[in-house]
Amino acid sequence: MSPGTLVHVGEQRLDKARISVMNYDQDRLEEKELKRIEDSFAYKDTPPVTWINIDGLHDIELIEKVGTHFNIHPLTLEDIVHTGQRPKVEDFEDYIYLVFKMLKFDETRNHVASEQVSLILGSHYLISLQETVGDVFNSVRERIRKGRVHIRKSGPDYLAYALVDAVVDNYFLILEKIGEKIEQFEERVHSESTPEILQNIHDLKREIIYFRKQVWPMREVLNTWKKTESALVQEADKLFIGDVYDHTIQVIDTIESFRDIISGMMDLYLSAVSNRMNEVMKVLTIMATIFIPLTFVAGIYGMNFKYMPELEWKWSYLILWILLIIIFSGMIFYFKRKKWL
Amino acid sequence: MSPGTLVHVGEQRLDKARISVMNYDQDRLEEKELKRIEDSFAYKDTPPVTWINIDGLHDIELIEKVGTHFNIHPLTLEDIVHTGQRPKVEDFEDYIYLVFKMLKFDETRNHVASEQVSLILGSHYLISLQETVGDVFNSVRERIRKGRVHIRKSGPDYLAYALVDAVVDNYFLILEKIGEKIEQFEERVHSESTPEILQNIHDLKREIIYFRKQVWPMREVLNTWKKTESALVQEADKLFIGDVYDHTIQVIDTIESFRDIISGMMDLYLSAVSNRMNEVMKVLTIMATIFIPLTFVAGIYGMNFKYMPELEWKWSYLILWILLIIIFSGMIFYFKRKKWL
Amino acid sequence: MSPGTLVHVGEQRLDKARISVMNYDQDRLEEKELKRIEDSFAYKDTPPVTWINIDGLHDIELIEKVGTHFNIHPLTLEDIVHTGQRPKVEDFEDYIYLVFKMLKFDETRNHVASEQVSLILGSHYLISLQETVGDVFNSVRERIRKGRVHIRKSGPDYLAYALVDAVVDNYFLILEKIGEKIEQFEERVHSESTPEILQNIHDLKREIIYFRKQVWPMREVLNTWKKTESALVQEADKLFIGDVYDHTIQVIDTIESFRDIISGMMDLYLSAVSNRMNEVMKVLTIMATIFIPLTFVAGIYGMNFKYMPELEWKWSYLILWILLIIIFSGMIFYFKRKKWL
Amino acid sequence: MSPGTLVHVGEQRLDKARISVMNYDQDRLEEKELKRIEDSFAYKDTPPVTWINIDGLHDIELIEKVGTHFNIHPLTLEDIVHTGQRPKVEDFEDYIYLVFKMLKFDETRNHVASEQVSLILGSHYLISLQETVGDVFNSVRERIRKGRVHIRKSGPDYLAYALVDAVVDNYFLILEKIGEKIEQFEERVHSESTPEILQNIHDLKREIIYFRKQVWPMREVLNTWKKTESALVQEADKLFIGDVYDHTIQVIDTIESFRDIISGMMDLYLSAVSNRMNEVMKVLTIMATIFIPLTFVAGIYGMNFKYMPELEWKWSYLILWILLIIIFSGMIFYFKRKKWL
Amino acid sequence: MSPGTLVHVGEQRLDKARISVMNYDQDRLEEKELKRIEDSFAYKDTPPVTWINIDGLHDIELIEKVGTHFNIHPLTLEDIVHTGQRPKVEDFEDYIYLVFKMLKFDETRNHVASEQVSLILGSHYLISLQETVGDVFNSVRERIRKGRVHIRKSGPDYLAYALVDAVVDNYFLILEKIGEKIEQFEERVHSESTPEILQNIHDLKREIIYFRKQVWPMREVLNTWKKTESALVQEADKLFIGDVYDHTIQVIDTIESFRDIISGMMDLYLSAVSNRMNEVMKVLTIMATIFIPLTFVAGIYGMNFKYMPELEWKWSYLILWILLIIIFSGMIFYFKRKKWL
């Protein structure tokens, strides 16, 4: 496929793309759902801030219209619809393109699910594109609606920051859930050391590897964005970007700690298994070691030789029992001293 | 061997070198197969773009002619025919030399096979040299034939990008196949934990190490190419090179994840084996622990002492059976409590 | 939550925030507890140094008042009350903001507990904010009270250094305690190789991972602080900051050594377990190997065949005993040679 | 020992130092063996290129004479005779000093042997110093003798490159041999998993570690050499140095892959051992589990109780056999279902 | 404790500090032991080089006097007496402060012992401070006494280099001893695989970790020193510092190799243990597998059933023996084929 051909890669998660627009400044807020993308074109160069949110990336025609009108580079359009992008930021002078992953922890399947989010940050508008309708951006919508001072006073770059911040805040929720899982497993690893728990630990580790792979590039993305010379990002807002950057590093730090802890849990598991084996072996050894010699003694006097003087003696049987009890006690004493009992 | 002596290193994969030429600009396309390399020399300085593709590197004479006519440095010629090169990019002012690996996953042998590709990017021409006839570049040929706007409008540097892009896209196919193998193995590792599956995992790991070794240097190559100051690469096309660069990093990221996951699978395997051993031991221990004491008791009353009062009693045999059943039940109860049963 | 909304994250550890003020120069020291934060505002621009210490971060209103009066950026205020910050230093021209972790090793629970400390370093004041009342800063208070030359002659940047230094000195105490634990465990790992000791080692490793995660960013923080161009930090004091920086690196070095040593201890433990298993197996094997053949021989002569000539012989029983003793001695000799006995 | 004192460190591998001289330009070649080092001094400033090769480093007096006449820094002289140097390049304005390792794989002992080579590159001469007479440089001698264009046209810097290139080419031979060893071991690790094969793998790993330690610094050496500003290295020749640099990186890449593969082989070995243990355990368990209950049953009816009704019955013995066969079959069936048979 | 308070940290290793002075230039050498530190003050600004060596750091008063007279920064004084410093170099314009570790391998305890050495390098003097009287610097003293040209001609910076060089040369001795230990262990690990040898390996690894921690920062220290712009270090002497730097890197390289080799030895040990377990298991399995069925057969004919036709037959006993021998031989054959015998 030639670069520049728009083909949606990824599953179609939505019937029809949904387009919503928020146009605001400090005093005014206009909010509506659009039927046709063309209705949003008017906002391109209108001074107050406009946020165009598009849910659903399978409608190639729509994306192409956006591309043509907002003058988006073909590579950007391609990145938007190929949902397997590595997070990155690119400065195209007219606009800044940001792509990253919104992540969710599906607790029933112990699975980190990811959805690609693209932001196109122009001088008066911000276009956000998601694969499906989500609720992570709702907090930002609420803040705009409530007319909170800062976001209504600021430009689209602050809005972009607010969206990224909402996404990164969501990462912490995932960390929390993984943390809980780890604690559960740590408690169970001793009592239940079954192959199932190991499989669970392995699955969790796999999800952590996946999570890390998605979050790791964000570090670079936010650092680049923060240091951009572009006129589209105001100096004052770089402080905020620096703040999300710090949060991302904290997420990565915690992921690394989790990896270390999970490796340790594997060791705990393996040692629990080998301890159990040890215990099994001990039981076997104790039983066999005690009764094998006793059985041998009984075997001796079960022989049918004609001339076995002991068989005729009156106290033989009693003496034998005493002998057996002495052997038995000796063994028990030996095992006690070895601390096997 | 002195540097500059051209000797083809690698197996000869083709009878006779095949030369094809595509000469095009926005409006015109001329495409032909050449018998003699000399016929391509005319295109060296002709303004529209010319793509000379040579399949087969064993024809040293041909390579030398290309070298003489296109004014190629002896080191470049040597690198072209020594097929064990590390991917690299070198700027020789007159031309830029790119060498990298085209990779294929041979599923029957679970093997990543590599073929060396060299690109010589001049001001009006691009020479590509492969070890054998392949189909990875066909998509690019199709795009040129279809007269797609961008590639026909652009210079040879864009063509070079398109070829590298086709190769890197191919890497994703390999990742996909390796990913499938990993999933298969993960399912089998528990049910079948045989040495064969471990050998398979080990072989796959080895291929991943090989794959990584081939792809890793591409990161550096594309970064250098993107940042080149050479007049042979147009500013506008660097965006595209940056795009392939991103894809390469994504490939590397995924390879790293695979390595981590495969290490985890080794652990799963070892633990599955040790679990099975545990189970075997338990069966042995249970059987031995139950029957050894019972056998001892039976042995006692098999003795031939003359004076064993129990032997004479009427209910001895019944009492003994009751005793045996009590010991047996006690053992079973003990094992249940230990969760061995 | 929008950035800039002040919500205290973390447990409230104190009933009511405590505010204390130390205002001093070389000759004079004024020290008092404040009821209302407003009483500290007068010190903002007064030339001699003022140290305002606030214990307790849950009183949002108080923090907001500080923010308004001392002209603190909303992001800083948010960082102060969100107690999960990664250590960092930020230069806001008017002031420098430092946040880091005060750590304590709770020996009864073998747990590293952390508390967040924020420092706001202005031109004439230093505000320190802690989660609860602590004693780490007391040594600095003592030095100020004693009128020690250097601290009384220096500005608030030296005071900030002194506080950070007190905190880092505290890290060494934790290292010492962890070092002691490791030595204890090393002695116990052989004699007691129980799952409990492994769990203990694992828990300690976890705390070390946590400790490292808290201290690691300090390296960067102190390096940035040392290299700051801000007028708020005097050249002469950068030497002192460099000194704490060196100490921090030493802490990190030691943590890394501890990690290596603890990994080694895991190996020791696993090998101790497997040695014990070996010993158990040997006892079993020796007993079984000696008595199983003997029992077989006894079994033979316990058979009831009518025609078994040996049974009738006079010396059979004696010969048999001799035979048994020979087999027994041979086995013992064999095991001695194998060094199992 | 004071720096500057010349003491030969390393074993003396040669009776008497051998000195040979090649003096050449494009048209002329003069080649001779010298008895006295003094005879080479005339060549110091003579324009055509002179290559002075000295085999044997124990003749301190000779080295000192070279040092005095060619104006070599005492540190360089010390480095030449201390054969444990780390590869490095040093620019002394008058000359460039290069020291590195010539490596050989001694197949009988599976051992990588190293020999130190020093090059002193002046404006008209190149002095090469080896510990013993070797054949690696012969290929270069041949090229000079054959009057091959490039080397005869170039200065001593190209000659130095040619020597380093010959040494690095030699590294590939070692890689090849190690690669073969690895393949042998991979085949044997399953069929023969004896401690000997593990010892072999360990020894090979050790040699790889040693090999890596010797080659790793070459990366830096060649990079520094390539980037030198010294007038002693011509711009045109830096391309060639870059080429050896690429080869060195390729060697290092391959060594790293080998390390990874060898670690995997250790895992394979350990798993082969544990599989065998498993098999042993299974045989034991099957035999014991089948016969212990049967023996118990036989023991029961070996008892001598007076009142055991079964003993008197006519079909008891037959029924018992049927019972034994049923138990036996049940066990076999159970093991089949468990896939132990 | 406030920074700047001089308190000696570390054990007092000497009764009374010992002060010795060497004042020399090319022609003259004055050497004496001082009773009072004050006698050394005269040498501060006298042109020829003066080396003041102080053994013993517990005499705080003495250190303070040195500090006052030679105008040493309080942080430096603190670093001198706190013997737990990380190696570092600091440029205080008036003087350069170097601190590093002198290491010794105590063979009886297999322990790397460290002692802190501080150097204060002024324009005409060098003060060296050690914890106790040592012999590492004696070689340097000898060279000065012998009037060797270079050291007597050079300034205090060369003297400082000579001391550091003597210390780093000492590191090689430790490497050698550790290398010998490793070889001993490698030989013993197979024949003796006892827990003691593992403990020894672990202890050695621990010492290597400690050694590495002490030497690692030297790399940075020497690099910084070499690149210093200070007038106190002459250009010509930087070559020498570069030489010690190279040696330090070599030490670090070797330590890393040792770490790798020791990890491999752990694997060897564990595999030796598991091989032994395997052998034990095999003996058990062979004995049990052979005799358990035989014992069962004997048990059958020990039964007391009235109607057991075989018991009456004449050749039964003989046939039984033949049967037992066949079973026995079959088992032996089976084990031979499995290569367990």
Side-chain angles (χ1 to χ4, degrees), chain A residues 2-3 84 86 88 198-199 202 206 259 269 279 281 287 291 301-304 311-312 317 320, chain B residues 143 161 186 190 246 249-250 253 257 260 271 275 281 285 289 292 303-304 306-307 310 331 338:
Chain A
S2 119
R86 199 176 188 253
K88 67 176 169 181
L198 185 69
Q199 184 64 53
H202 178 73
R206 216 186 148 154
R259 274 166 59 115
Y269 171 82
E279 218 185 319
M281 290 305 304
M287 291 309 280
F291 285 104
Y301 294 106
M303 292 190 298
N304 299 319
L311 295 183
E312 314 298 324
Y317 185 51
L320 184 98
Chain B
R143 272 152 62 194
Y161 148 73
E186 278 203 320
H190 263 303
D246 288 341
I249 291 188
Q250 225 177 330
D253 280 4
S257 306
D260 278 356
S271 119
N275 265 303
M281 290 304 304
T285 303
T289 307
I292 285 179
M303 293 190 299
N304 300 317
K306 247 196 173 137
Y307 305 96
E310 299 98 317
M331 291 287 180
K338 286 235 163 200

Side-chain angles (χ1 to χ4, degrees), chain D residues 151-169:
Chain D
I151 201 163
R152 289 280 282 271
K153 270 201 267 187
S154 313
D157 59 331
Y158 186 87
L159 178 59
Y161 148 73
L163 296 181
V164 175
D165 191 49
V167 166
V168 171
D169 274 1

Side-chain angles (χ1 to χ4, degrees), chain D residues 1-5 73 75 78-79 84-86 88 90 92 193 195 198-199 202 205-206 209 213 217 259 266 269-270 273 276-277 279-281 283-284 287-288 291-292 294-295 297-298 301-304 310-314 316-317 320-321 324, chain E residues 139 143 148 158 161 165 169 182-183 186 190 239-240 243 246-247 249-250 253-254 257 260-261 264-265 267-268 271 274-275 277-278 281-282 284-285 288-289 292-293 295-296 299-310 331 334-335 338 340:
Chain D
M1 203 77 53
S2 121
T5 326
H73 194 281
L75 275 178
E78 202 191 329
D79 288 349
Q85 290 308 311
R86 201 179 186 251
K88 66 176 169 182
E90 278 177 321
F92 287 83
S193 50
L198 186 68
Q199 184 65 51
H202 177 73
K205 191 180 165 192
R206 214 183 150 157
I209 291 170
K213 195 180 135 199
R259 274 167 60 115
M266 293 266 186
Y269 171 81
L270 287 175
V273 167
R276 272 221 281 176
M277 174 105 79
E279 218 184 318
V280 172
M281 291 303 304
V283 169
L284 173 60
M287 292 308 282
F291 285 104
I292 285 179
L294 300 186
T295 306
V297 172
Y301 293 106
M303 291 190 301
N304 299 319
E310 299 98 318
L311 294 184
E312 314 297 325
W313 301 343
K314 194 141 198 208
S316 290
Y317 186 50
L320 185 98
W321 268 113
L324 294 179
Chain E
S139 65
R143 271 153 63 195
R148 282 196 47 86
Y158 186 87
Y161 147 73
D165 191 49
D169 274 1
I182 287 179
E183 265 172 51
E186 277 202 320
H190 261 303
L239 264 179
F240 291 97
D243 201 59
D246 288 341
H247 291 168
I249 290 189
Q250 225 176 330
D253 279 3
T254 309
S257 306
D260 278 355
I261 290 170
M265 278 167 67
D267 288 346
L268 277 189
S271 119
S274 100
N275 265 304
M277 174 104 79
N278 236 334
M281 290 305 303
K282 264 191 220 164
L284 173 60
T285 303
T289 308
I292 286 179
T295 306
F296 164 67
I300 286 291
Y301 295 105
M303 291 191 299
N304 299 319
F305 287 114
K306 242 190 177 142
Y307 305 97
M308 285 177 69
E310 299 97 318
M331 291 286 181
Y334 174 77
F335 290 130
K338 287 235 162 202
W340 292 3

Side-chain angles (χ1 to χ4, degrees), chain C residues 20-24 29-31 49-51 141 144-145:
Chain C
S20 68
V21 160
M22 287 185 112
N23 173 286
Y24 62 86
L29 166 65
E30 188 194 340
E31 191 178 355
V49 181
T50 307
W51 172 16
R141 279 188 199 99
I144 297 175
R145 282 183 200 129

